[in-house]
Amino acid sequence: MNIKDLLPILIYDDSCYHCSKFASIAKSLAGKNILIVGHYTEIGKEIKSEIFPKDHDSTRMFWFVTDKTAYGGRAGILPLVFFILKQKI
């Protein structure tokens, strides 16, 4: 799988109720412009294994991954919002 073809990606904790709500809101706002996957899905595990080092616990927060950077947690909120707004204009 080529990650560059899938970007941007929102990776969230699919076992957390609030995280799933956050991801569903992002999905409704972004539409098909962002791939949204859970940490514990097969595709999520595969994507994380290609992006993060093996000793890194990426499940502690959500990740917004663009072609240049992976923004984690609160640092990813503004880039995510800006990306969604840019797609709407």
Side-chain angles (χ1 to χ4, degrees):
M1 170 188 341
N2 188 359
I3 297 292
K4 294 284 185 185
D5 296 336
L6 302 176
L7 296 175
I9 304 170
L10 176 68
I11 306 171
Y12 72 100
D13 185 352
D14 50 333
S15 66
C16 166
Y17 173 78
H18 297 291
C19 303
S20 296
K21 283 296 201 184
F22 170 74
S24 69
I25 291 169
K27 177 75 172 170
S28 67
L29 293 174
K32 298 185 185 247
N33 295 321
I34 298 175
L35 174 64
I36 299 177
V37 297
H39 278 296
Y40 304 106
T41 62
E42 289 303 315
I43 190 168
K45 291 176 185 177
E46 189 175 335
I47 290 170
K48 290 188 316 178
S49 71
E50 290 187 33
I51 295 174
F52 301 110
K54 292 194 185 301
D55 61 343
H56 180 72
D57 182 17
S58 62
T59 60
R60 298 180 53 94
M61 62 187 84
F62 83 91
W63 292 90
F64 180 57
V65 183
T66 65
D67 57 343
K68 297 179 183 177
T69 308
Y71 302 95
R74 291 180 295 200
I77 293 173
L78 281 178
L80 175 62
V81 169
F82 288 145
F83 181 84
I84 290 170
L85 291 175
K86 186 172 75 172
Q87 299 302 313
K88 298 284 184 187
I89 295 176

